[in-house]
Amino acid sequence: MASLAAQGQRSGKYRHVFGDAAKPEKQFQDVKNPLTSGEARYVSANNKFVAVSKNSGGGPVYILNIDSPGRLGANIPVLSVQKGKAWDHDFHPFIPNMIATASDDCSLAVTSFPMEGLKENITKADVMLNGHMKKVVLTSFNPSANSILASASFDKTVKVWNIESQECIMTFNQNKDNIYSMEWNIDGSQLATTGKDKQLRIFDPRIPDEAASVESFQGTKSSKVF
């Protein structure tokens, strides 16, 4: 399969599956200066909103109502609660109008906004989480626990936070290089990462040692865990 992919040929049971772009009236158009570099998602969504990071100072994030596609105006309000670029974001799994953002300024922010969407700029977060020593590039809410948030940073650590107490409750420092991806399993009992050190690591968020580590990648190019 790898050799076929290298030749530009699709292989596997999904080789005949293709996506069709939405019609223009179903698209969000003229999204100004979106952030599209790095290893994060750039775009996150739930059943009500779509979030898109903007590539400019102050970490602005567009929060778009999913039922109101179309051409964006010139002065659309944004969420801007941090000093650096918002590399990643994740909506709360149980509160649709709450979002966590990971920033260039080494912080995480958790912010709520009106259920009908943004009517004006939001510049103050509900919760600020500090503890990483370099920029935070990934963040993800636990899918089962109401107040648990994970983050990954260029300081090569993964941290687990309680957003209610605003405390870091666990730090994993086993990664030897930059972290490319991070994902909870379906019930939130384990957390997996991949990184430039070619390792796939699995952690139990309640235990400080990694549960498993395997060399899963031959090269140092970007890798993802789902």
Side-chain angles (χ1 to χ4, degrees), residues 10-13 27 30 33 39 46 50 73 79 89 100 109 135 140 158 161 167 176-177 190 223:
R10 294 163 63 94
S11 59
K13 62 181 179 180
Q27 299 176 10
D30 286 348
N33 202 22
E39 301 298 334
N46 59 16
V50 177
L79 183 147
H89 29 73
K135 67 181 181 181
S140 181
V158 173
W161 308 82
E167 294 178 328
K176 305 304 181 186
D177 212 325
Q190 292 182 324
S223 56

Coordinates of all heavy atoms in Angstrom, one line a residue, residues 10-13 27 30 33 39 46 50 73 79 89 100 109 135 140 158 161 167 176-177 190 223:
R10 N -4.4 5.2 -5.2 CA -5.2 4.9 -4.0 C -5.3 3.4 -3.9 O -5.5 2.7 -4.8 CB -6.6 5.6 -4.1 CG -6.5 7.1 -4.1 CD -7.8 7.7 -4.7 NE -8.9 7.4 -3.8 CZ -9.4 8.2 -2.8 NH1 -8.7 9.3 -2.6 NH2 -10.4 7.9 -2.1
S11 N -5.3 3.0 -2.6 CA -5.4 1.6 -2.4 C -6.3 1.4 -1.1 O -6.6 2.3 -0.4 CB -4.0 0.9 -2.1 OG -3.4 1.5 -1.0
G12 N -6.7 0.1 -0.9 CA -7.6 -0.1 0.3 C -9.0 -0.1 -0.1 O -9.4 0.3 -1.2
K13 N -9.9 -0.4 0.9 CA -11.3 -0.5 0.7 C -12.0 0.8 0.4 O -13.1 0.9 0.0 CB -12.0 -1.3 1.8 CG -11.9 -0.6 3.2 CD -12.6 -1.5 4.2 CE -12.5 -0.8 5.6 NZ -13.1 -1.7 6.6
Q27 N -21.3 27.0 2.0 CA -19.9 27.2 2.4 C -19.8 28.5 3.2 O -20.6 29.4 3.1 CB -19.0 27.3 1.2 CG -19.0 26.1 0.3 CD -18.2 26.3 -1.0 OE1 -17.5 27.3 -1.1 NE2 -18.3 25.3 -1.9
D30 N -14.8 33.7 2.2 CA -14.1 34.9 2.6 C -13.6 34.9 4.0 O -13.7 35.9 4.8 CB -14.9 36.2 2.3 CG -14.9 36.5 0.8 OD1 -14.2 35.8 0.0 OD2 -15.7 37.3 0.4
N33 N -7.6 35.4 6.3 CA -6.3 35.1 6.9 C -6.4 33.9 7.9 O -5.9 34.0 9.1 CB -5.7 36.3 7.6 CG -4.2 36.3 7.8 OD1 -3.5 35.5 7.1 ND2 -3.7 37.0 8.8
E39 N 0.8 21.6 13.4 CA 0.2 20.2 13.4 C -1.2 20.2 14.0 O -1.8 19.1 14.1 CB 1.1 19.4 14.3 CG 2.6 19.3 13.9 CD 2.7 18.6 12.5 OE1 1.8 17.8 12.1 OE2 3.7 18.9 11.8
N46 N -18.6 21.5 16.5 CA -19.6 20.6 17.1 C -20.9 20.7 16.3 O -20.9 21.2 15.2 CB -19.8 21.0 18.6 CG -20.2 22.4 18.8 OD1 -20.7 23.1 17.9 ND2 -20.0 22.9 20.1
V50 N -18.6 26.3 14.3 CA -17.4 26.0 13.7 C -16.4 27.0 14.1 O -16.7 28.2 14.1 CB -17.5 26.0 12.1 CG1 -16.1 25.7 11.5 CG2 -18.5 25.0 11.6
G73 N -18.6 38.8 6.7 CA -18.4 40.2 6.6 C -17.0 40.7 7.0 O -16.1 39.9 7.5
L79 N -13.3 35.6 18.9 CA -12.8 35.3 20.3 C -11.3 35.5 20.3 O -10.6 34.9 19.6 CB -13.2 33.9 20.7 CG -12.9 33.4 22.1 CD1 -14.0 32.4 22.5 CD2 -11.6 32.7 22.2
H89 N -7.9 24.2 19.1 CA -9.0 24.5 19.9 C -9.9 23.3 19.9 O -9.9 22.4 19.0 CB -9.8 25.7 19.4 CG -9.7 26.0 17.9 ND1 -10.3 25.2 17.0 CD2 -9.0 26.9 17.3 CE1 -10.0 25.7 15.8 NE2 -9.2 26.7 15.9
A100 N -12.0 25.5 24.4 CA -10.6 25.6 24.9 C -9.7 26.0 23.7 O -9.9 25.4 22.6 CB -10.2 24.3 25.5
A109 N -6.7 28.5 27.4 CA -7.8 29.3 27.8 C -9.1 28.5 27.6 O -9.2 27.8 26.6 CB -7.9 30.6 27.1
K135 N 5.3 27.0 23.6 CA 3.9 27.2 23.0 C 3.1 25.9 23.1 O 3.7 24.8 23.0 CB 4.0 27.7 21.6 CG 4.6 26.7 20.6 CD 4.6 27.3 19.2 CE 5.2 26.4 18.2 NZ 5.3 27.0 16.8
S140 N -7.4 19.0 23.9 CA -8.5 18.1 23.7 C -9.2 17.8 25.0 O -8.6 17.5 26.0 CB -8.0 16.8 23.1 OG -9.1 15.9 22.9
V158 N 3.0 16.5 28.0 CA 1.5 16.4 27.9 C 1.0 16.7 29.3 O 1.5 16.1 30.3 CB 1.1 15.0 27.4 CG1 -0.5 14.9 27.5 CG2 1.5 14.8 26.0
W161 N -5.5 18.7 32.8 CA -6.0 19.7 33.7 C -7.4 19.5 34.2 O -8.2 18.9 33.5 CB -6.0 21.1 32.9 CG -4.7 21.4 32.2 CD1 -4.3 20.9 31.0 CD2 -3.7 22.3 32.7 NE1 -3.0 21.5 30.7 CE2 -2.7 22.3 31.7 CE3 -3.5 23.1 33.8 CZ2 -1.5 23.1 31.8 CZ3 -2.4 23.9 33.9 CH2 -1.4 23.9 33.0
E167 N -6.3 23.5 37.9 CA -5.1 22.9 38.3 C -4.6 21.9 37.3 O -5.4 21.2 36.7 CB -5.2 22.2 39.7 CG -5.5 23.2 40.8 CD -5.7 22.5 42.1 OE1 -6.2 21.3 42.1 OE2 -5.3 23.0 43.2
K176 N 10.2 12.5 23.7 CA 11.6 13.0 23.5 C 11.8 14.1 22.4 O 12.9 14.6 22.2 CB 12.5 11.8 23.1 CG 12.4 10.6 24.1 CD 12.8 11.1 25.5 CE 12.7 9.9 26.5 NZ 13.0 10.3 27.9
D177 N 10.7 14.4 21.7 CA 10.7 15.5 20.7 C 9.4 16.1 20.6 O 8.4 15.7 21.3 CB 11.2 14.9 19.4 CG 12.1 15.9 18.6 OD1 11.7 17.1 18.6 OD2 13.0 15.5 17.9
Q190 N -7.9 6.5 28.3 CA -6.5 6.6 27.9 C -6.3 7.7 26.9 O -7.2 8.2 26.2 CB -6.1 5.2 27.2 CG -6.1 4.0 28.1 CD -5.6 2.8 27.4 OE1 -6.0 2.6 26.3 NE2 -4.9 1.9 28.1
S223 N 2.9 12.7 11.9 CA 2.1 11.5 12.1 C 0.9 11.8 12.9 O 0.9 12.7 13.7 CB 2.9 10.4 12.7 OG 3.4 10.8 14.0

